[in-house]
Amino acid sequence: MSTSGKEPVAVVGIGQTKHVAARHDVSIAGLVREAAARALADAELTWADIDAVVIGKAPDFFEGVMMPELYLADALGAVGKPMLRVHTAGSVGGSTALVASNLVAARVHRTVLTLAFEKQSESNAMWGLSLPVPFQQPLLAGAGGFFAPHVRAYMRRTGAPDTVGSLVAYKDRRNALKNPYAHLHEHDITLEKVQASPMLWDPIRYSETCPSSDGACAMILTDRAGAARSPKPPAWVHGGAMRSEPTLFAGKDFVSPQAGKDCAADVYRQAGITDPRREIDAVEMYVPFSWYEPMWLENLGFAGEGEGWKLTEAGVTELDGDLPVNPSGGVLSTNPIGASGMIRFAEAALQVRGQAGEHQVPDARRAMGHAYGGGAQFFAMWLVGAQPPSS
Amino acid sequence: MARYAREVAVVAFAQSDHLRRTDELSEVEMVMPVLHQVLAATGLKAGEIGFTCSGSSDYLAGRAFSFTMTLDGVGAWPPISESHVEMDGAWALYEAWVKIQTGEADTALVYSYGKSSPGSVRDVLTRQLDPYYLAPLWPDSVALAALQAQALIDAGETDEARLAAIGARSRAAASANPHAQLSGVVPQGEYQVAPLRTGDCPPIGDGAAAVVLAAGDVARRLCERPAWITGIDHRIEAHSLGLRDLTDSPSTRIAAEHAGVFEGPVDTAELHAAFSSQEVVLRKALGLGEDVSVNPSGGALAANPIMAAGLIRIGEAAARIHRGESDRAVAHATSGPCLQQNLVAVLEGDRA
């Protein structure tokens, strides 16, 4: 066995739950097992084939369970195996997949189950985020209150017309209609309805905001030998990276954080991408508020500074555009917070496997999954391809 | 054949003084001196570290995303490659070790911290139990440990006098550890939950720890005698206590086999045994003889900052190798009620 260079990593199984506002019919254990069992079925593997489990979720306060991995070990077939729990705020679903991927790349384990979940109906995420700490600013009434000023800054900086956000929401909610696992299926959605929805955190409207979902997403990652046995085409990991920067400091650019730029640059370098706009066929990006699509288009290098909104406005990011963004419906349609990043990673993999069903982008060969969290300070991204990496 | 692709060593370790209360310190203020100390030991700056990983718990801090503020203490600018586990720092070290094994980093900074003083840690830890059947009953961590201790006594594996001796030995050893919270002669005290007395239980305290890892020649450059991690593995067991033999720790044994503990003699063991009874279980699982120096730092019975106590075991074992007091040490960390999840690492120094 070669001990130099990384082992290529393949995604051979993907499973998710139908995401809904409240899964009253299952426990947390039942929820995660459902996604994991679907991923195993997709890979045509059994629990015995799994060497290790890497699990992620957002704050434990969202369900009121401290270190839920302890209680979930049985449900995820982890007894007697290694189980690792990752928590990097909203980016956690992506980070969790990357930690699992590294286990295979480092040849520490051959086949790894990775899973992320949130069962938000067990508690109240708004209050889970609003526990007061003395001598520290309050969280400004939920995530929207924190991000709205940065959206406004983007609009002022780029001169984007105030219609762009509603275009994103209208697109993502229509895409969600093609995704059977998406939470929101708004069959009567129109652009006018989005624009007429109540203003929540100016300039973010109700219909430009993510829902609160219960859901889980799982993937099976394996090495080259495992991929060779895969009954369905694998998605190959061509690059993956995490970057973090401090929450608050004078030099921070909340509109386009340096950590996001650096993270994307690292992924492109690993994957040999020099022109992301031309070389990437589909993007699943973390857009919890509609305006983050044009903002991240710039941050990830798909558009020049101040140009992101023009791609959105021109329909480039539509499902039938030449850079489809969030063909699954995205976070705007489905947001089990801790799982949302992994859903992005998994949907990117589904696209290059040709398994995305009605929201399949024709001929997708390379796709990107993106997640961010905290005060736009934690980033996790991967780029997956239909072919194994060449190096 | 080498077990892993790359040689990785602990090259520096630092910890805070562990105290019953640190009301005047924020978590950032508690962590920063430790970070500065461990970086100073290697001469590295935060920006030169290849990967950073931390371990902490929102439930101890009493607020969501508590680790985001601590990251500010690292000085993550320009942006750094960084991750966080909601587990003891020993598992953060494991994630960092994996990252170095991929070849994407040559060095890693690992830190963890916990402040137990703001709340009742016995109550807080009940929240890590099965939320539907067990947690609503609020069985606290000492009561659960007492179940395990009684099972050991019933099985004839120990008795109260021998348990008391473990506590006394640990606190005596801690006299040489300036960071320890409890040291010297400590009364065995009253029953907390029978058969466990105060002396069988860990002190409740606040503390932080940090480690620097490095690969191959970088490790040799940064440290006179690196503590090579020749094996590391962790395993979990079923959660429900009714599904486990509490007198045994199969997950520790499996992890030890994969880490190569049994492939050679061990001279030192740093065990994350917060209760005297847990040392009995771990000694058996790891096959430690009387000739092995167990918890020369005083162990978790002398200082048990939750979330950092496991990382401290790895750090203490490594520090003994750095000082030339050990050639082959085993370090152990645990998580969950009654040793549910266990990590085992083998650390070795180059022989003269």
Side-chain angles (χ1 to χ4, degrees), chain A residues 6 28 59 64 66-67 70-71 74 78 80-83 85 87 99 122 128 133 136 243-244 246-247 249, chain B residues 59 63-65 72 76 79-80 82 84-87 95 102 104 127-128 132 234-236 238-239 340-341:
Chain A
K6 284 188 286 183
I28 300 170
M66 179 186 187
M67 304 177 179
L70 297 166
Y71 140 72
D74 305 70
K81 298 176 186 176
M83 187 169 190
R85 155 76 192 289
H87 177 20
V99 173
E122 296 276 334
V133 174
Q136 203 170 288
R243 285 293 183 282
S244 308
T247 322
F249 71 107
Chain B
Y59 258 81
R63 60 152 300 191
F65 294 156
D72 292 0
I80 58 173
E82 188 263 351
H84 170 256
V85 300
E86 196 86 355
M87 309 174 82
E95 185 183 327
T102 66
E104 291 171 10
R127 303 299 91 193
Q128 68 174 202
Y132 303 102
H234 59 98
R235 302 281 154 164
I236 197 165
H239 181 63
Q340 186 193 345
Q341 187 177 23

Side-chain angles (χ1 to χ4, degrees), chain A residues 283-287 292-293 296-297 300 325-326 344 370:
Chain A
V283 186
E284 282 281 342
M285 65 170 70
Y286 205 102
V287 178
Y292 272 88
E293 175 179 299
W296 293 147
L297 282 170
L300 299 177
V325 173
N326 291 329
R344 307 278 71 69
H370 160 271

Side-chain angles (χ1 to χ4, degrees), chain B residues 299-347:
Chain B
L301 284 164
N304 188 40
I306 292 177
M307 307 312 291
L311 181 64
I312 291 170
R313 303 282 72 75
I314 298 174
E316 289 282 8
R320 269 175 82 82
I321 288 170
H322 295 161
R323 295 193 298 261
E325 294 165 8
S326 167
D327 290 325
R328 190 167 191 268
V330 59
H332 158 269
T334 194
S335 177
C338 300
L339 303 171
Q340 186 193 345
Q341 187 177 23
N342 296 283
L343 179 147
V344 176
V346 177
L347 301 158

Side-chain angles (χ1 to χ4, degrees), chain B residues 34 115 175 220 231:
Chain B
V34 176
K115 282 182 69 152
S175 299
R220 292 184 186 92

Side-chain angles (χ1 to χ4, degrees), chain A residues 174-181 185 187 319-320 326-329 347 350-351 354-362:
Chain A
R174 275 181 295 135
N175 289 351
L177 293 171
K178 298 176 187 295
N179 175 4
Y181 295 105
H185 282 158
H187 293 280
L319 186 47
D320 59 359
N326 291 329
S328 70
E347 286 286 349
L350 277 179
Q351 288 290 344
Q355 306 275 326
E358 272 191 72
H359 63 284
Q360 177 70 45
V361 173

Side-chain angles (χ1 to χ4, degrees), chain A residues 1 3 5-6 26-29 51 58-67 69-71 73-74 78-90 95 99 102-103 105-109 119 122 128-129 131-133 136 139 240-249 251-252 258-259 262 270 374 377-378, chain B residues 1-6 51 56-65 67-69 71-72 75-88 91-92 94-95 97-99 101-104 124-132 233-240 243 251 254 306-307 335-337 340-341:
Chain A
M1 187 180 78
T3 52
K6 284 188 286 183
V26 289
S27 62
I28 300 170
D51 300 322
D60 291 4
F61 285 107
F62 283 1
E63 288 83 10
V65 187
M66 179 186 187
M67 304 177 179
E69 72 278 4
L70 297 166
Y71 140 72
D74 305 70
V79 171
K81 298 176 186 176
M83 187 169 190
L84 194 64
R85 155 76 192 289
V86 181
H87 177 20
T88 63
S95 309
V99 173
N102 281 344
L103 281 170
R107 299 191 179 91
V108 173
H109 295 296
K119 197 163 187 293
E122 296 276 334
L129 283 176
L131 296 158
V133 174
Q136 203 170 288
L139 253 170
M242 292 184 237
R243 285 293 183 282
S244 308
E245 66 183 41
T247 322
L248 301 164
F249 71 107
K252 185 175 167 86
Q258 189 63 39
D262 292 358
Q270 293 172 38
Q377 63 182 130
F378 302 116
Chain B
M1 194 187 86
R3 195 187 304 270
Y4 309 111
R6 304 187 79 192
F51 183 66
S56 68
S57 168
D58 279 349
Y59 258 81
L60 288 182
R63 60 152 300 191
F65 294 156
F67 64 93
T68 64
M69 295 300 156
L71 176 67
D72 292 0
W77 187 261
I80 58 173
S81 176
E82 188 263 351
S83 182
H84 170 256
V85 300
E86 196 86 355
M87 309 174 82
D88 185 282
W91 277 267
Y94 181 82
E95 185 183 327
W97 172 83
V98 170
K99 181 79 174 179
Q101 288 298 334
T102 66
E104 291 171 10
V124 169
L125 289 176
T126 64
R127 303 299 91 193
Q128 68 174 202
L129 303 170
D130 172 328
Y132 303 102
D233 195 73
H234 59 98
R235 302 281 154 164
I236 197 165
E237 293 176 39
H239 181 63
S240 171
L243 295 174
S251 58
I254 300 170
I306 292 177
M307 307 312 291
S335 177
Q340 186 193 345
Q341 187 177 23

